[in-house]
Amino acid sequence: MDLKNGVPVSIHLKTKVKQHHEVQDFSFELPGQLVTIGDKLYIRYQEVQENGEKIPVIIKIMPDGTVQLTRSGEMRLRLKFDYKKKLETSYTTPYGVMYFGTFTRNLHISLKDRPTSGTIFIDYDLYMADERVGEYQISLDFTA
């Protein structure tokens, strides 16, 4: 997959994490790329950690409206989202593979051609085995 030929985009990313009665909000302004390969749309950016490490992230939007988020690096996470469905996924760490599930409560994708822009909103629960470990929201706006 050649992502170097993408359209440069500005990304505004907001995430909300609810775990153990605590809520954390994060907001980022990031440069990224928008790439269309076949009938799939990819949004690529690098998430900067507190220690300065950059983690490559790819959000893949499928023609059927499902979304896949992949974080690469030493720890590889692949989350899959499909409206009102529970999907299994994996998290690869240096210590082995952990298995998770996502249940997508809300999923909204809005794309525009002129100017090239869009919004992706994902509201989901994360499960480890059958136990819910948290509630998450991802809101990503991009503009070319």
Side-chain angles (χ1 to χ4, degrees):
M1 171 178 6
D2 182 12
L3 291 173
K4 291 188 170 98
N5 296 328
V7 175
V9 292
S10 296
I11 295 173
H12 179 73
L13 175 66
K14 292 191 300 189
T15 60
K16 178 180 274 191
V17 178
K18 292 182 190 177
Q19 290 179 322
H20 312 293
H21 307 292
E22 290 185 23
V23 177
Q24 292 181 298
D25 289 298
F26 302 94
S27 185
F28 305 95
E29 299 289 336
L30 305 162
Q33 290 182 316
L34 179 68
V35 179
T36 302
I37 300 175
D39 54 1
K40 297 170 189 69
L41 185 67
Y42 297 84
I43 299 169
R44 183 178 117 167
Y45 59 92
Q46 291 195 359
E47 196 175 278
V48 181
Q49 302 296 300
E50 288 180 10
N51 64 5
E53 181 185 2
K54 294 182 178 180
I55 306 292
V57 178
I58 298 175
I59 296 177
K60 178 166 74 171
I61 303 170
M62 307 295 278
D64 63 1
T66 60
V67 174
Q68 179 176 292
L69 183 147
T70 304
R71 294 178 80 226
S72 300
E74 185 178 4
M75 307 216 307
R76 184 173 173 84
L77 173 67
R78 178 175 288 143
L79 298 176
K80 299 174 186 171
F81 306 101
D82 193 357
Y83 181 67
K84 295 291 184 190
K85 291 188 180 171
K86 188 171 183 183
L87 301 174
E88 299 300 313
T89 191
S90 63
Y91 187 34
T92 304
T93 73
Y95 309 104
V97 178
M98 299 168 62
Y99 294 94
F100 290 93
T102 58
F103 177 77
T104 307
R105 290 190 309 261
N106 195 355
L107 176 60
H108 179 76
I109 301 166
S110 173
L111 304 172
K112 296 180 184 169
D113 283 339
R114 293 185 187 164
T116 299
S117 61
T119 300
I120 300 166
F121 177 78
I122 306 167
D123 184 9
Y124 67 100
D125 294 330
L126 186 67
Y127 289 86
M128 186 170 199
D130 286 331
E131 184 178 333
R132 187 171 79 165
V133 294
E135 299 173 32
Y136 298 79
Q137 288 182 351
I138 299 169
S139 178
L140 185 146
D141 295 309
F142 66 90
T143 307

